[in-house]
Amino acid sequence: MFVIILTILLSFKRHKVVALSLGFFLLGFAWMGIISAQTLSTQIKESYLNKPILVTGKVVELPKNTTRNTKFIFKAHSPFQGKLKLAWYHHSPNLRTGDAWQLLVKIKHNNSYQNLGGFDYEKWLFYKRIDATGYVRASPSNQRIDDANQTLSIDQIRQAIRHSLAPILQQQEFGGIINALIIGDRSLISTKHWSLFKATNTTHLSVISGLHIGLISGFMFLLIQFLWRYSMRLSRVMPSQIAAAFFGLGSAFIYALIAGFSVPTGRAFIMASVLFLAIIFRRHHNTWQLYGIALFLVLSNDPLNIFSVGFWLSFYVVAVIIYGSHQHQDKSWLYRLIYLQLLINLATLPLTIWFFSAGSIVSPIANLIAIPIFSFAVIPLALIGALLHFTGLAYLSVMVFSIANQILLYLTKILEQLQQFEFNQWHYSQTSLVDLTLFILAMFIALSPKGLKLRWLSIPILGLLFLTPNHTIKHNSMLVTTLDVGQGLAHVIQTRNHILLFDTGARYASGFDLGDSVITPYLRAKHIQHLDKVIISHDDNDHIGGLNNILQNFDITEILSSVPEKIPTKATNCQAGQNWTWDGVLFEILSPNKKSKLTDNNASCVLKVSNQKYSILLTGDIEKATERHLVQNFTKKLKSTVLISPHHGSKTSSTQAFLTAVSPTLVIISSGFQNRFHHPHKTILQRYQANNIQTLQTQCSGQIDLLFTHDINIKEYRKDAKRYYLRQCY
């Protein structure tokens, strides 16, 4: 820091631009620190966490209703102040934004699964300034204490619009998308439609975004400018361009307001405002200067925008548009439009696969078709339908919405055909910012003007990406990864040429699937397409729940399980005595026996994996009965360097006799943060400590990697990828 300040002072006279740039960088860094410190300082005291507590406050933002619950943001006022993300189960009442409530809630620290390739939910909560998450407990104390009708806010207007349009839009298959285009509320979009848009990289079209703000304000600007010129009187009062800029600015403001001034729409409004205000005040800045001013204002308004994927993509896309709009000006408008659309899709490919670890090959085609349809048909029809509805022309409104719905129906049929191409999705492992920079540089050089004669350089630059050292696993070595799946279990064991998956985490009634959100992203990030063997220890949801997703996404050679009848494809019983060797690493099933009468948790598959020097014992959810059986029949085989704690550290397992037989130096415990079972039990932790066994827990470490070679190399993802906003264990 001192060096930067000194550089600024010494270079101010001779290199004023450099000095000012460094100065702004320091100011931005300081501003980011201040806002981050303020956000972190609002964290709720420990005394209010993990127990029922009565709070009063107000519902803010639009509640999201599902068949199982209502999710909403609650701004607590007493006994503490904070922003809570809550879920209300079991016949929740009709919550309205602006209503004041007294609620009995149970909340906990922000938390997320921390794994390679996974979504960082804690970062998202921090960016949204959510102080804690939790749920509303059933209680007579839950009561509305103030009616939202006594006040008026934009969210209440948006909720009134949603409520008024609901009877009409519920009759339309794509009513959720039309609703999202009108008020920016995507909670009614079906999972099927959202998945389709996601697979074809067209999700940005289905909700109010920067594209829509720019489209509406730009259309209003051109329309008013065209009409204004036909009036000599108006033209003498104010030039048509300036008058049109006022209308463009106003329409951008109104549309952003209807969308609740969400972060993306607020960002788009700032960008549009810079352009229109420059016209109004007749400031003749070039396009890049206006771009820089907009960027400065957005980050000044909220520096936490840097945590938003939308921020990077939106400003990146605008930069691409500015660059592309100056190319091929001698060509027809249609040629330039198609060129610009393809340029955007190709240029954004590096960021898309960086942020989402995947890219859609058909995305350029999908967007080339979908953007004009949304821009010139669906969005105008959605807004016209809403205006007709609120002016009392209900019949015309229904007709317009039906036309928009029919257009979306035909569009989705096209997108579904594109989605079916086997090569549509390709996956990429996040490595370093150097790779991302090289990828973007190569893409822009490849798309540079032909006259520069630089396009050939993109090939060697892309080639540098493949020179990244490939850390292959050596013969007689193994990498054992315990994924952070909360209160559940999932291990990935890799040898030089083979992959084994042991258990698949949970799938919840809400539809949230650990296979989809943790295991598949991890395997994709590791470029794994095929699993040689999958073992499902038993049929508890937290061990088998994610299996269907794995079956849909990966080729699997063989499945072993203690409950093969519960597997929706061919599977074999895991039985003691089964063994195989991969790349010098021995795999042995120790339980259950063929004639065993053990059931449920005690019937879990028990797997020992060994190289010439070390071994690890995977135990599923076995309890005392199976531990006793193993001690009696496999005393010598049980001895292992590392033990996966039986049953997540439950007090029904990890008996002293079993620990003595295994004699591990390290125990890995897979358990959820502040889980309702209170795993691992403090008695078991004390027993591990008494036996001088080191313990690691996924709830503190996140994903845990153990590389067994000539020694054991341990990596803890939550600590290795440490960020200041992440929850820490002490």
Side-chain angles (χ1 to χ4, degrees):
M1 185 68 72
F2 175 76
V3 174
I4 295 177
I5 295 174
L6 185 62
T7 303
I8 293 173
L9 294 174
L10 292 175
S11 61
F12 190 79
K13 288 185 177 180
R14 293 185 177 180
H15 306 285
K16 193 172 182 178
V17 174
V18 175
L20 287 174
S21 299
L22 288 173
F24 274 113
F25 172 79
L26 282 182
L27 287 174
F29 188 82
W31 182 234
M32 178 68 180
I34 292 169
I35 297 299
S36 295
Q38 288 178 347
T39 304
L40 291 171
S41 67
T42 61
Q43 289 182 345
I44 299 163
K45 293 180 180 178
E46 292 284 342
S47 57
Y48 296 123
L49 303 175
N50 308 309
K51 64 181 180 182
I53 184 167
L54 202 62
V55 300
T56 58
K58 185 176 289 188
V59 177
V60 295
E61 302 183 16
L62 291 183
K64 298 180 180 179
N65 302 309
T66 68
T67 55
R68 295 186 65 254
N69 59 37
T70 298
K71 296 179 180 178
F72 61 104
I73 304 299
F74 190 73
K75 197 163 188 178
H77 299 145
S78 176
F80 56 81
Q81 292 187 351
K83 195 175 179 183
L84 311 177
K85 187 174 185 292
L86 300 175
W88 194 328
Y89 300 88
H90 311 300
H91 310 292
S92 62
N94 179 29
L95 295 176
R96 298 175 300 177
T97 182
D99 280 357
W101 279 81
Q102 174 183 273
L103 299 173
L104 185 68
V105 302
K106 189 174 182 181
I107 57 176
K108 64 180 181 179
H109 276 303
N110 292 342
N111 179 65
S112 66
Y113 308 108
Q114 290 293 316
N115 302 279
L116 176 66
F119 174 64
D120 192 344
Y121 185 53
E122 277 178 80
K123 181 173 75 174
W124 184 87
L125 291 170
F126 174 72
Y127 163 58
K128 292 290 186 179
R129 293 175 170 80
I130 305 293
D131 298 302
T133 60
Y135 62 95
V136 179
R137 293 175 65 101
S139 170
S141 301
N142 297 331
Q143 52 186 300
R144 185 183 282 111
I145 57 179
D146 190 16
D147 199 305
N149 293 330
Q150 298 177 8
T151 59
L152 185 65
S153 70
I154 187 59
D155 278 335
Q156 290 166 16
I157 295 173
R158 295 174 67 225
Q159 187 162 268
I161 294 173
R162 183 172 75 175
H163 179 74
S164 181
L165 293 176
I168 301 174
L169 297 183
Q170 285 172 358
Q171 299 174 13
Q172 309 293 341
E173 182 181 353
F174 297 91
I177 297 173
I178 296 173
N179 173 75
L181 294 173
I182 296 171
I183 61 171
D185 170 32
R186 73 181 191 188
S187 63
L188 303 180
I189 300 178
S190 69
T191 303
K192 175 186 174 183
H193 294 151
W194 188 255
S195 298
L196 176 62
F197 289 131
K198 185 177 178 181
T200 53
N201 197 27
T202 52
T203 52
H204 61 286
L205 299 174
S206 59
V207 291
I208 298 177
S209 64
L211 172 66
H212 305 114
I213 300 291
L215 177 70
I216 295 300
S217 61
F219 173 77
M220 186 60 68
F221 173 81
L222 294 174
L223 177 64
I224 297 300
Q225 187 179 36
F226 175 77
L227 296 175
W228 199 274
R229 287 173 178 170
Y230 279 90
S231 172
M232 293 294 294
R233 180 180 299 178
L234 291 175
S235 296
R236 282 195 293 266
V237 173
M238 183 182 295
S240 61
Q241 191 178 42
I242 295 177
F246 276 109
F247 279 90
L249 183 62
S251 60
F253 177 76
I254 292 170
Y255 200 25
L257 199 63
I258 293 174
F261 256 109
S262 61
V263 174
T265 53
R267 190 165 53 233
F269 173 69
I270 290 175
M271 296 171 76
S273 298
V274 169
L275 176 61
F276 289 128
L277 288 173
I279 295 173
I280 291 169
F281 292 110
R282 302 182 183 184
R283 305 298 296 180
H284 300 292
H285 296 290
N286 67 44
T287 310
W288 288 110
Q289 286 176 325
L290 295 176
Y291 177 86
I293 293 170
L295 180 61
F296 175 79
L297 290 174
V298 167
L299 290 177
S300 298
N301 178 61
D302 184 7
L304 297 188
N305 265 302
I306 64 168
F307 291 120
S308 167
V309 173
F311 164 78
W312 294 101
L313 286 174
S314 61
F315 273 96
Y316 183 81
V317 167
V318 171
V320 171
I321 291 172
I322 293 172
Y323 166 79
S325 61
H326 291 88
Q327 307 300 317
H328 304 293
Q329 293 188 350
D330 57 328
K331 304 289 185 179
S332 68
W333 67 269
L334 181 61
Y335 178 93
R336 294 175 64 192
L337 185 65
I338 295 173
Y339 165 79
L340 191 59
Q341 179 58 51
L342 291 174
L343 178 68
I344 291 170
N345 281 276
L346 291 173
T348 54
L349 191 59
L351 279 188
T352 301
I353 61 174
W354 174 265
F355 286 124
F356 306 111
S357 299
S360 171
I361 302 299
V362 300
S363 171
I365 301 173
N367 278 278
L368 194 62
I369 297 169
I371 287 179
I373 290 175
F374 268 92
S375 300
F376 303 113
V378 179
I379 295 174
L381 287 172
L383 295 177
I384 291 169
L387 288 172
L388 290 172
H389 173 78
F390 288 108
T391 53
L393 302 174
Y395 174 76
L396 288 176
S397 173
V398 171
M399 184 175 68
V400 170
F401 283 141
S402 297
I403 294 172
N405 185 79
Q406 197 66 27
I407 292 172
L408 285 170
L409 178 64
Y410 291 132
L411 174 63
T412 54
K413 288 185 181 298
I414 296 172
L415 295 181
E416 284 170 355
Q417 292 299 316
L418 293 173
Q419 182 192 17
Q420 290 176 4
F421 285 108
E422 292 184 5
F423 56 82
N424 176 34
Q425 290 286 323
W426 67 290
H427 303 274
Y428 171 80
S429 175
Q430 299 181 31
T431 50
S432 70
L433 287 173
V434 174
D435 287 347
L436 176 63
T437 304
L438 288 173
F439 201 165
I440 294 174
L441 180 62
M443 192 63 68
F444 269 95
I445 289 177
L447 298 170
S448 64
K450 188 177 181 180
L452 293 178
K453 298 180 179 181
L454 294 174
R455 293 178 180 177
W456 65 272
L457 284 174
S458 62
I459 297 175
I461 292 174
L462 280 174
L464 293 174
L465 295 175
F466 298 98
L467 296 179
T468 304
N470 187 15
H471 301 289
T472 57
I473 300 172
K474 297 179 180 179
H475 187 79
N476 197 39
S477 299
M478 56 188 175
L479 174 62
V480 180
T481 299
T482 302
L483 293 171
D484 179 11
V485 291
Q487 189 60 27
L489 197 68
H491 302 286
V492 178
I493 303 176
Q494 302 175 65
T495 64
R496 185 175 180 84
N497 300 302
H498 296 85
I499 310 290
L500 181 144
L501 174 63
F502 188 100
D503 284 343
T504 58
R507 185 182 190 279
Y508 298 102
S510 64
F512 184 72
D513 189 333
L514 272 302
D516 177 59
S517 61
V518 171
I519 302 172
T520 294
Y522 170 80
L523 294 174
R524 295 297 193 201
K526 299 284 285 187
H527 302 291
I528 295 171
Q529 303 293 333
H530 174 82
L531 298 172
D532 296 281
K533 204 179 294 284
V534 172
I535 297 179
I536 302 297
S537 63
H538 63 301
D539 63 351
D540 278 0
N541 177 54
D542 58 327
H543 294 253
I544 196 176
L547 177 61
N548 283 338
N549 180 270
I550 303 303
L551 293 174
Q552 292 168 10
N553 287 285
F554 299 93
D555 295 325
I556 302 171
T557 302
E558 184 182 14
I559 300 177
L560 297 179
S561 177
S562 63
V563 285
E565 69 279 2
K566 300 290 181 70
I567 308 297
T569 188
K570 182 182 177 182
T572 306
N573 273 302
C574 61
Q575 295 177 359
Q578 293 171 330
N579 64 83
W580 62 94
T581 300
W582 286 343
D583 308 311
V585 178
L586 176 63
F587 294 75
E588 302 172 276
I589 300 292
L590 304 185
S591 184
N593 281 333
K594 186 175 182 179
K595 298 181 180 179
S596 173
K597 296 182 180 180
L598 297 170
T599 59
D600 300 326
N601 287 344
N602 277 310
S604 295
C605 303
V606 176
L607 174 69
K608 182 179 180 181
V609 188
S610 316
N611 65 4
Q612 293 179 351
K613 192 173 182 181
Y614 302 108
S615 57
I616 182 170
L617 188 66
L618 288 73
T619 56
D621 275 357
I622 64 170
E623 297 177 324
K624 294 177 181 178
T626 301
E627 289 184 356
R628 186 166 51 249
H629 167 78
L630 288 169
V631 170
Q632 291 172 353
N633 295 277
F634 296 97
T635 304
K636 292 183 179 180
K637 278 190 176 294
L638 279 180
K639 186 172 177 59
S640 301
T641 319
V642 180
L643 170 67
I644 303 300
S645 182
H647 201 184
H648 319 287
S650 165
K651 64 180 180 180
T652 61
S653 307
S654 296
T655 59
Q656 182 57 55
F658 181 71
L659 292 179
T660 301
V662 179
S663 299
T665 58
L666 172 65
V667 166
I668 305 294
I669 306 170
S670 180
S671 60
F673 173 63
Q674 294 178 347
N675 63 86
R676 62 191 179 95
F677 303 103
H678 305 292
H679 292 160
H681 197 274
K682 61 181 180 180
T683 303
I684 300 304
L685 289 175
Q686 291 169 356
R687 188 173 297 161
Y688 291 152
Q689 188 176 14
N691 284 270
N692 296 316
I693 304 171
Q694 178 188 358
T695 60
L696 291 176
Q697 302 184 44
T698 55
Q699 60 178 285
C700 288
S701 302
Q703 169 189 318
I704 300 172
D705 289 320
L706 302 178
L707 179 60
F708 296 82
T709 54
H710 57 277
D711 56 9
I712 302 178
N713 186 292
I714 303 173
K715 289 187 177 180
E716 302 170 73
Y717 191 84
R718 183 177 280 273
K719 295 180 180 178
D720 293 342
K722 187 176 180 180
R723 299 291 184 270
Y724 67 91
Y725 55 78
L726 288 179
R727 169 186 61 80
Q728 298 299 320
C729 285
Y730 300 99

